[in-house]
Amino acid sequence: MIDHDGPIPKYLQVADEIAGRITRGELLPGRPVPSEKYMQQEFDVSRGTVRKAVKELQRRKLVYTVPQRGTYVADPPDP
Amino acid sequence: MIDHDGPIPKYLQVADEIAGRITRGELLPGRPVPSEKYMQQEFDVSRGTVRKAVKELQRRKLVYTVPQRGTYVADPPDP
DNA sequence: GTGTATTTGTTCGTATGTATC
DNA sequence: CGATACATACGAACAAATACA
């Protein structure tokens, strides 16, 4: 899943994996994405790396985060 | 009690302190260990650090936790 | 039966230090 | 030097189950 010693930064690999799940419709708008803790375990990376991945997904406007609640899949942009 | 600026992680210092009380028989099998809140105050560390210490004690099989109840001293292993 | 307090469970926000590339 | 990555450690907020008056 995650290439633990390759040239591509892990945080981008994690971000791309989640992005893929969103664009494939496996994660639906308004629904939560996995928590930081869950992603840490699933991808076997540090929390900092997960947070950087989420930040990247926010930058792409694929997700939004509610403090102390979780991170959710954003609504798709106007077609 | 806790070295607040030394090389040894606080969560390990807390875990070792509780472990010592168990192995010395100050905390008996089946009896609760101090609550997270109590340990926070006693050791002057954050709750996260206490929880990490408890997790370490669970890993060592010295304690077990009952959700919403507390954490208890485990029975000693077969001699 | 009804609250209130306690305790653990979980989430995200933030900062610091270390190591590596 | 900057970016990546990990571990440690603080805080804050809320949930859920239990215990008790």
Side-chain angles (χ1 to χ4, degrees), chain A residues 21-77:
Chain A
R21 292 181 194 177
I22 292 173
T23 57
R24 286 193 300 274
E26 296 168 21
L27 294 170
L28 298 177
R31 301 292 302 168
V33 300
S35 72
E36 292 178 359
K37 188 174 195 173
Y38 184 96
M39 285 195 270
Q40 264 187 79
Q41 294 167 353
E42 173 177 356
F43 299 121
D44 190 27
V45 295
S46 72
R47 190 185 168 205
T49 297
V50 169
R51 283 184 63 78
K52 203 160 180 178
V54 170
K55 201 174 173 183
E56 171 65 18
L57 292 169
Q58 289 167 348
R59 196 188 63 75
R60 298 183 194 170
K61 303 205 184 301
L62 287 172
V63 305
Y64 61 94
T65 298
V66 182
Q68 270 71 58
R69 297 290 297 204
T71 296
Y72 302 85
V73 179
D75 290 319

Short mmCIF file of all heavy atoms in Angstrom, two decimals, chain A residues 21-77:
data_model
loop_
_atom_site.label_atom_id
_atom_site.label_comp_id
_atom_site.label_asym_id
_atom_site.label_seq_id
_atom_site.Cartn_x
_atom_site.Cartn_y
_atom_site.Cartn_z
N ARG A 21 -9.92 6.90 -2.91
CA ARG A 21 -11.14 6.34 -2.33
C ARG A 21 -12.30 7.32 -2.48
O ARG A 21 -13.46 6.91 -2.62
CB ARG A 21 -10.93 6.02 -0.85
CG ARG A 21 -9.95 4.88 -0.64
CD ARG A 21 -9.77 4.54 0.83
NE ARG A 21 -8.60 3.69 1.00
CZ ARG A 21 -8.14 3.28 2.17
NH1 ARG A 21 -8.74 3.64 3.29
NH2 ARG A 21 -7.07 2.50 2.25
N ILE A 22 -11.98 8.59 -2.43
CA ILE A 22 -13.04 9.59 -2.58
C ILE A 22 -13.49 9.66 -4.04
O ILE A 22 -14.69 9.60 -4.32
CB ILE A 22 -12.54 10.98 -2.11
CG1 ILE A 22 -12.31 10.96 -0.59
CG2 ILE A 22 -13.54 12.07 -2.48
CD1 ILE A 22 -11.66 12.20 -0.03
N THR A 23 -12.56 9.75 -4.95
CA THR A 23 -12.94 9.90 -6.36
C THR A 23 -13.59 8.62 -6.89
O THR A 23 -14.42 8.68 -7.79
CB THR A 23 -11.72 10.27 -7.23
OG1 THR A 23 -10.71 9.27 -7.08
CG2 THR A 23 -11.15 11.61 -6.80
N ARG A 24 -13.24 7.48 -6.29
CA ARG A 24 -13.90 6.23 -6.71
C ARG A 24 -15.26 6.05 -6.04
O ARG A 24 -15.96 5.08 -6.29
CB ARG A 24 -13.01 5.03 -6.36
CG ARG A 24 -11.80 4.87 -7.25
CD ARG A 24 -11.14 3.50 -7.06
NE ARG A 24 -10.70 3.27 -5.70
CZ ARG A 24 -9.51 3.65 -5.22
NH1 ARG A 24 -8.65 4.26 -6.01
NH2 ARG A 24 -9.17 3.42 -3.98
N GLY A 25 -15.58 6.96 -5.12
CA GLY A 25 -16.89 6.87 -4.48
C GLY A 25 -16.93 5.89 -3.31
O GLY A 25 -18.00 5.55 -2.81
N GLU A 26 -15.76 5.45 -2.87
CA GLU A 26 -15.73 4.55 -1.71
C GLU A 26 -15.95 5.34 -0.42
O GLU A 26 -16.36 4.78 0.60
CB GLU A 26 -14.39 3.81 -1.66
CG GLU A 26 -14.17 2.88 -2.84
CD GLU A 26 -12.73 2.38 -2.92
OE1 GLU A 26 -12.03 2.41 -1.90
OE2 GLU A 26 -12.32 1.96 -4.01
N LEU A 27 -15.62 6.61 -0.48
CA LEU A 27 -15.90 7.51 0.64
C LEU A 27 -16.83 8.60 0.10
O LEU A 27 -16.50 9.26 -0.89
CB LEU A 27 -14.60 8.14 1.18
CG LEU A 27 -13.62 7.15 1.83
CD1 LEU A 27 -12.27 7.82 2.10
CD2 LEU A 27 -14.19 6.60 3.14
N LEU A 28 -17.97 8.75 0.77
CA LEU A 28 -19.01 9.62 0.21
C LEU A 28 -19.05 11.00 0.87
O LEU A 28 -18.70 11.15 2.06
CB LEU A 28 -20.37 8.94 0.37
CG LEU A 28 -20.48 7.60 -0.37
CD1 LEU A 28 -21.83 6.95 -0.10
CD2 LEU A 28 -20.28 7.81 -1.88
N PRO A 29 -19.47 12.01 0.11
CA PRO A 29 -19.57 13.38 0.63
C PRO A 29 -20.34 13.43 1.95
O PRO A 29 -21.38 12.79 2.09
CB PRO A 29 -20.32 14.13 -0.47
CG PRO A 29 -19.95 13.40 -1.72
CD PRO A 29 -19.86 11.94 -1.31
N GLY A 30 -19.82 14.16 2.89
CA GLY A 30 -20.48 14.31 4.18
C GLY A 30 -20.12 13.21 5.17
O GLY A 30 -20.39 13.34 6.36
N ARG A 31 -19.55 12.13 4.66
CA ARG A 31 -19.17 11.04 5.54
C ARG A 31 -17.74 11.24 6.02
O ARG A 31 -16.93 11.85 5.34
CB ARG A 31 -19.26 9.69 4.80
CG ARG A 31 -20.64 9.38 4.26
CD ARG A 31 -21.62 9.13 5.39
NE ARG A 31 -21.16 8.01 6.25
CZ ARG A 31 -21.69 7.71 7.44
NH1 ARG A 31 -22.68 8.44 7.91
NH2 ARG A 31 -21.23 6.69 8.12
N PRO A 32 -17.43 10.71 7.22
CA PRO A 32 -16.08 10.90 7.74
C PRO A 32 -15.05 10.05 7.00
O PRO A 32 -15.36 8.95 6.54
CB PRO A 32 -16.20 10.44 9.20
CG PRO A 32 -17.40 9.55 9.23
CD PRO A 32 -18.33 10.03 8.18
N VAL A 33 -13.87 10.59 6.86
CA VAL A 33 -12.74 9.77 6.42
C VAL A 33 -12.18 9.11 7.68
O VAL A 33 -12.52 9.51 8.79
CB VAL A 33 -11.66 10.62 5.72
CG1 VAL A 33 -12.22 11.32 4.51
CG2 VAL A 33 -11.03 11.62 6.67
N PRO A 34 -11.36 8.10 7.56
CA PRO A 34 -10.80 7.45 8.75
C PRO A 34 -10.08 8.46 9.64
O PRO A 34 -9.51 9.43 9.15
CB PRO A 34 -9.82 6.43 8.16
CG PRO A 34 -10.35 6.13 6.80
CD PRO A 34 -10.92 7.42 6.31
N SER A 35 -10.13 8.23 10.93
CA SER A 35 -9.48 9.13 11.89
C SER A 35 -7.96 9.07 11.73
O SER A 35 -7.41 8.16 11.11
CB SER A 35 -9.85 8.73 13.32
OG SER A 35 -9.19 7.53 13.67
N GLU A 36 -7.30 10.06 12.30
CA GLU A 36 -5.84 10.08 12.25
C GLU A 36 -5.26 8.80 12.83
O GLU A 36 -4.34 8.20 12.29
CB GLU A 36 -5.30 11.29 13.04
CG GLU A 36 -5.63 12.63 12.39
CD GLU A 36 -5.13 13.80 13.21
OE1 GLU A 36 -4.54 13.57 14.28
OE2 GLU A 36 -5.33 14.95 12.78
N LYS A 37 -5.82 8.38 13.94
CA LYS A 37 -5.32 7.18 14.60
C LYS A 37 -5.47 5.95 13.70
O LYS A 37 -4.56 5.14 13.57
CB LYS A 37 -6.09 6.95 15.90
CG LYS A 37 -5.53 5.84 16.76
CD LYS A 37 -6.26 5.79 18.09
CE LYS A 37 -5.51 4.96 19.11
NZ LYS A 37 -6.16 5.04 20.44
N TYR A 38 -6.65 5.85 13.07
CA TYR A 38 -6.90 4.71 12.20
C TYR A 38 -5.91 4.69 11.04
O TYR A 38 -5.34 3.66 10.70
CB TYR A 38 -8.34 4.78 11.69
CG TYR A 38 -8.74 3.59 10.85
CD1 TYR A 38 -9.42 2.51 11.42
CD2 TYR A 38 -8.43 3.53 9.49
CE1 TYR A 38 -9.78 1.40 10.66
CE2 TYR A 38 -8.78 2.43 8.73
CZ TYR A 38 -9.45 1.37 9.31
OH TYR A 38 -9.79 0.27 8.56
N MET A 39 -5.73 5.87 10.44
CA MET A 39 -4.82 5.95 9.29
C MET A 39 -3.38 5.66 9.70
O MET A 39 -2.64 5.00 8.96
CB MET A 39 -4.93 7.32 8.62
CG MET A 39 -6.20 7.47 7.81
SD MET A 39 -6.16 8.89 6.69
CE MET A 39 -6.85 10.17 7.74
N GLN A 40 -3.01 6.12 10.88
CA GLN A 40 -1.68 5.80 11.39
C GLN A 40 -1.45 4.30 11.36
O GLN A 40 -0.41 3.81 10.91
CB GLN A 40 -1.58 6.22 12.86
CG GLN A 40 -0.96 7.57 13.12
CD GLN A 40 -0.78 7.76 14.61
OE1 GLN A 40 0.15 7.24 15.21
NE2 GLN A 40 -1.69 8.50 15.22
N GLN A 41 -2.46 3.56 11.87
CA GLN A 41 -2.32 2.12 11.95
C GLN A 41 -2.42 1.47 10.58
O GLN A 41 -1.63 0.59 10.24
CB GLN A 41 -3.39 1.56 12.90
CG GLN A 41 -3.16 2.02 14.34
CD GLN A 41 -4.34 1.78 15.25
OE1 GLN A 41 -5.41 1.36 14.80
NE2 GLN A 41 -4.18 2.04 16.55
N GLU A 42 -3.41 1.91 9.80
CA GLU A 42 -3.60 1.29 8.50
C GLU A 42 -2.37 1.45 7.61
O GLU A 42 -1.96 0.52 6.93
CB GLU A 42 -4.83 1.89 7.78
CG GLU A 42 -4.94 1.37 6.35
CD GLU A 42 -6.17 1.86 5.61
OE1 GLU A 42 -7.01 2.55 6.22
OE2 GLU A 42 -6.28 1.54 4.40
N PHE A 43 -1.79 2.65 7.62
CA PHE A 43 -0.69 2.92 6.71
C PHE A 43 0.68 2.76 7.37
O PHE A 43 1.71 2.85 6.71
CB PHE A 43 -0.83 4.32 6.13
CG PHE A 43 -2.10 4.53 5.34
CD1 PHE A 43 -3.01 5.52 5.71
CD2 PHE A 43 -2.40 3.74 4.24
CE1 PHE A 43 -4.19 5.72 5.00
CE2 PHE A 43 -3.57 3.93 3.52
CZ PHE A 43 -4.47 4.91 3.89
N ASP A 44 0.64 2.54 8.68
CA ASP A 44 1.89 2.38 9.43
C ASP A 44 2.83 3.56 9.24
O ASP A 44 3.98 3.42 8.84
CB ASP A 44 2.59 1.07 9.02
CG ASP A 44 3.75 0.74 9.94
OD1 ASP A 44 3.71 1.17 11.11
OD2 ASP A 44 4.71 0.09 9.47
N VAL A 45 2.27 4.74 9.51
CA VAL A 45 3.07 5.96 9.46
C VAL A 45 2.81 6.74 10.74
O VAL A 45 1.93 6.39 11.52
CB VAL A 45 2.70 6.84 8.24
CG1 VAL A 45 3.03 6.12 6.94
CG2 VAL A 45 1.23 7.25 8.28
N SER A 46 3.59 7.78 10.96
CA SER A 46 3.42 8.57 12.17
C SER A 46 2.22 9.50 12.04
O SER A 46 1.70 9.74 10.94
CB SER A 46 4.67 9.40 12.43
OG SER A 46 4.76 10.45 11.50
N ARG A 47 1.81 10.02 13.20
CA ARG A 47 0.67 10.94 13.18
C ARG A 47 0.99 12.20 12.37
O ARG A 47 0.14 12.72 11.66
CB ARG A 47 0.29 11.31 14.61
CG ARG A 47 -1.02 12.04 14.67
CD ARG A 47 -1.34 12.52 16.07
NE ARG A 47 -2.44 13.46 16.03
CZ ARG A 47 -2.66 14.38 16.95
NH1 ARG A 47 -1.86 14.48 17.98
NH2 ARG A 47 -3.67 15.20 16.83
N GLY A 48 2.21 12.65 12.49
CA GLY A 48 2.61 13.84 11.75
C GLY A 48 2.43 13.65 10.24
O GLY A 48 2.00 14.57 9.54
N THR A 49 2.76 12.47 9.79
CA THR A 49 2.62 12.18 8.36
C THR A 49 1.15 12.15 7.96
O THR A 49 0.77 12.67 6.90
CB THR A 49 3.31 10.84 8.04
OG1 THR A 49 4.69 10.97 8.32
CG2 THR A 49 3.11 10.46 6.59
N VAL A 50 0.32 11.55 8.81
CA VAL A 50 -1.11 11.53 8.52
C VAL A 50 -1.65 12.96 8.46
O VAL A 50 -2.39 13.32 7.55
CB VAL A 50 -1.88 10.74 9.60
CG1 VAL A 50 -3.38 10.94 9.45
CG2 VAL A 50 -1.54 9.26 9.50
N ARG A 51 -1.27 13.76 9.43
CA ARG A 51 -1.77 15.13 9.47
C ARG A 51 -1.34 15.93 8.24
O ARG A 51 -2.09 16.75 7.72
CB ARG A 51 -1.32 15.83 10.75
CG ARG A 51 -2.11 15.40 11.96
CD ARG A 51 -1.71 16.17 13.21
NE ARG A 51 -1.98 17.60 13.12
CZ ARG A 51 -3.17 18.15 13.27
NH1 ARG A 51 -4.20 17.38 13.52
NH2 ARG A 51 -3.34 19.44 13.17
N LYS A 52 -0.12 15.65 7.79
CA LYS A 52 0.36 16.34 6.59
C LYS A 52 -0.45 15.89 5.37
O LYS A 52 -0.74 16.69 4.48
CB LYS A 52 1.85 16.04 6.40
CG LYS A 52 2.56 17.08 5.56
CD LYS A 52 4.07 17.04 5.80
CE LYS A 52 4.76 18.09 4.94
NZ LYS A 52 6.21 18.14 5.16
N ALA A 53 -0.81 14.62 5.36
CA ALA A 53 -1.63 14.10 4.26
C ALA A 53 -3.01 14.75 4.26
O ALA A 53 -3.52 15.15 3.22
CB ALA A 53 -1.76 12.58 4.38
N VAL A 54 -3.59 14.86 5.44
CA VAL A 54 -4.92 15.48 5.55
C VAL A 54 -4.86 16.95 5.12
O VAL A 54 -5.75 17.45 4.42
CB VAL A 54 -5.46 15.37 6.99
CG1 VAL A 54 -6.71 16.21 7.18
CG2 VAL A 54 -5.74 13.91 7.33
N LYS A 55 -3.78 17.60 5.52
CA LYS A 55 -3.60 19.00 5.13
C LYS A 55 -3.55 19.12 3.60
O LYS A 55 -4.12 20.06 3.02
CB LYS A 55 -2.29 19.52 5.74
CG LYS A 55 -2.21 21.02 5.86
CD LYS A 55 -0.93 21.41 6.62
CE LYS A 55 -0.73 22.92 6.62
NZ LYS A 55 0.54 23.30 7.28
N GLU A 56 -2.90 18.16 2.99
CA GLU A 56 -2.82 18.15 1.53
C GLU A 56 -4.21 17.95 0.92
O GLU A 56 -4.58 18.60 -0.06
CB GLU A 56 -1.86 17.05 1.07
CG GLU A 56 -1.84 16.77 -0.43
CD GLU A 56 -1.32 17.93 -1.25
OE1 GLU A 56 -0.67 18.83 -0.68
OE2 GLU A 56 -1.61 17.95 -2.48
N LEU A 57 -5.00 17.05 1.53
CA LEU A 57 -6.36 16.81 1.03
C LEU A 57 -7.25 18.04 1.23
O LEU A 57 -8.13 18.31 0.42
CB LEU A 57 -6.97 15.59 1.74
CG LEU A 57 -6.30 14.25 1.39
CD1 LEU A 57 -6.77 13.16 2.35
CD2 LEU A 57 -6.59 13.85 -0.05
N GLN A 58 -7.00 18.77 2.32
CA GLN A 58 -7.73 20.02 2.53
C GLN A 58 -7.35 21.01 1.44
O GLN A 58 -8.21 21.71 0.90
CB GLN A 58 -7.40 20.60 3.91
CG GLN A 58 -8.00 19.81 5.07
CD GLN A 58 -7.40 20.21 6.40
OE1 GLN A 58 -6.38 20.90 6.46
NE2 GLN A 58 -8.02 19.75 7.48
N ARG A 59 -6.07 21.07 1.16
CA ARG A 59 -5.60 21.99 0.11
C ARG A 59 -6.29 21.69 -1.21
O ARG A 59 -6.65 22.58 -1.96
CB ARG A 59 -4.08 21.86 -0.03
CG ARG A 59 -3.40 22.99 -0.79
CD ARG A 59 -1.94 22.70 -1.06
NE ARG A 59 -1.73 21.54 -1.90
CZ ARG A 59 -1.95 21.51 -3.23
NH1 ARG A 59 -2.38 22.58 -3.85
NH2 ARG A 59 -1.74 20.41 -3.92
N ARG A 60 -6.50 20.40 -1.48
CA ARG A 60 -7.18 19.99 -2.73
C ARG A 60 -8.70 20.12 -2.62
O ARG A 60 -9.42 19.76 -3.54
CB ARG A 60 -6.83 18.54 -3.07
CG ARG A 60 -5.35 18.29 -3.31
CD ARG A 60 -5.12 16.83 -3.72
NE ARG A 60 -3.71 16.45 -3.65
CZ ARG A 60 -3.27 15.19 -3.77
NH1 ARG A 60 -4.12 14.20 -3.96
NH2 ARG A 60 -1.97 14.93 -3.68
N LYS A 61 -9.16 20.54 -1.45
CA LYS A 61 -10.59 20.73 -1.20
C LYS A 61 -11.38 19.43 -1.36
O LYS A 61 -12.54 19.42 -1.74
CB LYS A 61 -11.17 21.82 -2.11
CG LYS A 61 -10.46 23.16 -1.94
CD LYS A 61 -11.36 24.32 -2.33
CE LYS A 61 -10.61 25.66 -2.25
NZ LYS A 61 -10.08 25.92 -0.89
N LEU A 62 -10.74 18.33 -1.02
CA LEU A 62 -11.43 17.04 -1.05
C LEU A 62 -12.05 16.72 0.30
O LEU A 62 -12.95 15.90 0.40
CB LEU A 62 -10.45 15.92 -1.44
CG LEU A 62 -10.02 15.91 -2.90
CD1 LEU A 62 -8.91 14.89 -3.12
CD2 LEU A 62 -11.22 15.57 -3.80
N VAL A 63 -11.53 17.33 1.35
CA VAL A 63 -12.03 17.08 2.71
C VAL A 63 -12.06 18.37 3.51
O VAL A 63 -11.44 19.36 3.12
CB VAL A 63 -11.15 16.06 3.46
CG1 VAL A 63 -11.00 14.76 2.68
CG2 VAL A 63 -9.78 16.64 3.77
N TYR A 64 -12.81 18.33 4.61
CA TYR A 64 -12.77 19.44 5.56
C TYR A 64 -12.77 18.85 6.96
O TYR A 64 -13.29 17.76 7.18
CB TYR A 64 -13.97 20.39 5.36
CG TYR A 64 -15.31 19.73 5.55
CD1 TYR A 64 -15.95 19.78 6.79
CD2 TYR A 64 -15.93 19.04 4.52
CE1 TYR A 64 -17.19 19.18 6.98
CE2 TYR A 64 -17.16 18.43 4.69
CZ TYR A 64 -17.78 18.50 5.93
OH TYR A 64 -18.99 17.89 6.13
N THR A 65 -12.18 19.56 7.88
CA THR A 65 -12.00 19.02 9.23
C THR A 65 -12.78 19.84 10.25
O THR A 65 -12.78 21.07 10.20
CB THR A 65 -10.51 19.02 9.60
OG1 THR A 65 -9.81 18.17 8.70
CG2 THR A 65 -10.31 18.52 11.02
N VAL A 66 -13.48 19.15 11.14
CA VAL A 66 -14.17 19.78 12.25
C VAL A 66 -13.39 19.46 13.52
O VAL A 66 -13.23 18.29 13.86
CB VAL A 66 -15.61 19.27 12.38
CG1 VAL A 66 -16.33 19.98 13.52
CG2 VAL A 66 -16.36 19.46 11.07
N PRO A 67 -12.89 20.49 14.21
CA PRO A 67 -12.06 20.25 15.39
C PRO A 67 -12.73 19.32 16.40
O PRO A 67 -13.91 19.45 16.68
CB PRO A 67 -11.89 21.65 15.99
CG PRO A 67 -12.00 22.57 14.81
CD PRO A 67 -13.01 21.93 13.90
N GLN A 68 -11.94 18.40 16.91
CA GLN A 68 -12.40 17.46 17.93
C GLN A 68 -13.49 16.52 17.44
O GLN A 68 -14.08 15.79 18.23
CB GLN A 68 -12.88 18.17 19.20
CG GLN A 68 -11.80 18.40 20.22
CD GLN A 68 -10.83 19.45 19.77
OE1 GLN A 68 -11.21 20.57 19.51
NE2 GLN A 68 -9.55 19.10 19.65
N ARG A 69 -13.81 16.60 16.15
CA ARG A 69 -14.88 15.73 15.62
C ARG A 69 -14.34 14.76 14.59
O ARG A 69 -14.52 13.55 14.70
CB ARG A 69 -16.00 16.57 15.00
CG ARG A 69 -16.70 17.46 15.99
CD ARG A 69 -17.49 16.64 16.92
NE ARG A 69 -18.55 15.92 16.21
CZ ARG A 69 -19.65 15.49 16.76
NH1 ARG A 69 -19.80 15.69 18.04
NH2 ARG A 69 -20.55 14.86 16.07
N GLY A 70 -13.71 15.30 13.60
CA GLY A 70 -13.21 14.42 12.57
C GLY A 70 -13.05 15.16 11.26
O GLY A 70 -13.30 16.36 11.18
N THR A 71 -12.64 14.42 10.25
CA THR A 71 -12.46 14.99 8.91
C THR A 71 -13.45 14.32 7.98
O THR A 71 -13.65 13.10 8.04
CB THR A 71 -11.01 14.77 8.44
OG1 THR A 71 -10.13 15.48 9.30
CG2 THR A 71 -10.83 15.28 7.02
N TYR A 72 -14.10 15.11 7.15
CA TYR A 72 -15.20 14.63 6.32
C TYR A 72 -14.93 14.86 4.84
O TYR A 72 -14.20 15.79 4.46
CB TYR A 72 -16.49 15.33 6.73
CG TYR A 72 -16.82 15.12 8.20
CD1 TYR A 72 -16.28 15.94 9.19
CD2 TYR A 72 -17.63 14.07 8.60
CE1 TYR A 72 -16.55 15.73 10.53
CE2 TYR A 72 -17.92 13.84 9.94
CZ TYR A 72 -17.37 14.68 10.90
OH TYR A 72 -17.64 14.46 12.24
N VAL A 73 -15.56 14.03 4.03
CA VAL A 73 -15.44 14.19 2.58
C VAL A 73 -16.24 15.43 2.16
O VAL A 73 -17.40 15.58 2.53
CB VAL A 73 -15.98 12.95 1.85
CG1 VAL A 73 -15.89 13.14 0.34
CG2 VAL A 73 -15.23 11.69 2.29
N ALA A 74 -15.59 16.30 1.41
CA ALA A 74 -16.24 17.53 0.96
C ALA A 74 -17.23 17.23 -0.15
O ALA A 74 -17.15 16.20 -0.83
CB ALA A 74 -15.19 18.52 0.46
N ASP A 75 -18.18 18.13 -0.31
CA ASP A 75 -19.10 18.02 -1.43
C ASP A 75 -18.33 18.27 -2.72
O ASP A 75 -17.40 19.09 -2.74
CB ASP A 75 -20.23 19.05 -1.29
CG ASP A 75 -21.17 18.70 -0.14
OD1 ASP A 75 -21.48 17.50 0.01
OD2 ASP A 75 -21.58 19.61 0.60
N PRO A 76 -18.72 17.57 -3.77
CA PRO A 76 -18.02 17.79 -5.05
C PRO A 76 -18.29 19.21 -5.56
O PRO A 76 -19.32 19.80 -5.25
CB PRO A 76 -18.64 16.73 -5.97
CG PRO A 76 -19.89 16.30 -5.32
CD PRO A 76 -19.76 16.56 -3.86
N PRO A 77 -17.35 19.75 -6.32
CA PRO A 77 -17.55 21.11 -6.86
C PRO A 77 -18.67 21.11 -7.88
O PRO A 77 -19.03 20.07 -8.42
CB PRO A 77 -16.19 21.42 -7.52
CG PRO A 77 -15.60 20.08 -7.82
CD PRO A 77 -16.09 19.16 -6.76
#
